[in-house]
Amino acid sequence: AVVSTQSTGICYGTPGLPLIQLVHEPADLLFSNNLQINTIYYITKAIVPPLQRVFGLMGVNVMEWYNELPRDLRTHFSATATRSKHTISHYYHTKHCPFCDKVSDILCACYLDRQKVGVLSQSQLTLLKSQEQSLFTICSDCSNVPTIVANPDTPHNRNCMSFVCPVLFKRISIRNRISEREGIKDEVFKLYNW
């Protein structure tokens, strides 16, 4: 089956689903924490074949090389984790500390220092919210709408859908990172009974 992906994106989904059921509009991808672009699909179907044609002339098997690459899986926390369904990638455990980003097979030393964890968690959230507010100021100037409070559900935020604007994508990316950090903060608070 040929699926046009000109104004749509292929997302991860339940194994065995027909490709057509994994196609989503760009707006769906932007405003959903549960949808993720299926990078493996695009790498194996759009990037590897042309590379294979070029490097195949030199005897290099690009698909074999790609399959040998290590995979980096990270857990995605979300503030809505307990209220919504997730893709399987939301249940993978990470080897990256969410605070210092160090790789470790055991619990990172950051978790042993309650005060450090609390400060890092809050400072990361504060920084992201400050970045988000700066982006809202840019959007406000562009759209001639008074500066709005950082809230992804306000009508102005949903109506500003210029897919050629890099600020829109940066703003949504920051919003998703804030949701993830709020989920991490909630987990830390549960861990320490704060």
Side-chain angles (χ1 to χ4, degrees), residues 30-31 33 128-129 132 135-136 150-153 169-182:
L30 282 175
F31 292 109
N33 287 339
L128 287 170
K129 287 182 179 182
E132 182 182 43
L135 292 171
F136 276 117
N151 181 353
D153 295 321
F169 294 100
K170 183 71 174 170
R171 201 179 76 207
I172 300 300
S173 172
I174 295 266
R175 170 51 39 200
N176 290 339
R177 287 175 56 203
I178 287 172
S179 293
E180 184 177 307
R181 285 290 160 189
E182 286 173 342

Side-chain angles (χ1 to χ4, degrees), residues 70-121:
R71 304 290 186 255
D72 179 27
L73 299 174
R74 295 176 185 235
T75 301
H76 299 280
F77 291 95
S78 170
T80 60
T82 57
R83 293 176 287 184
S84 61
K85 296 179 182 178
H86 295 290
T87 59
I88 194 166
S89 65
H90 284 84
Y91 299 101
Y92 285 125
H93 293 288
T94 183
K95 291 185 176 188
H96 290 264
C97 174
F99 302 106
C100 65
D101 207 33
K102 290 181 183 171
V103 179
S104 175
D105 285 331
I106 58 173
L107 193 60
C108 182
C110 289
Y111 283 102
L112 301 177
D113 187 349
R114 289 172 56 144
Q115 190 172 14
K116 180 180 179 180
V117 166
V119 169
L120 282 173
S121 179

Side-chain angles (χ1 to χ4, degrees), residues 19-39:
L19 187 61
I20 194 70
Q21 291 182 1
L22 301 175
V23 176
H24 293 276
E25 296 291 323
D28 295 341
L29 294 169
L30 282 175
F31 292 109
S32 174
N33 287 339
N34 298 332
L35 294 176
Q36 281 186 307
I37 293 284
N38 189 330
T39 53

Side-chain angles (χ1 to χ4, degrees), residues 118-129:
V119 169
L120 282 173
S121 179
Q122 189 57 48
S123 65
Q124 289 169 349
L125 253 176
T126 302
L127 176 65
L128 287 170
K129 287 182 179 182

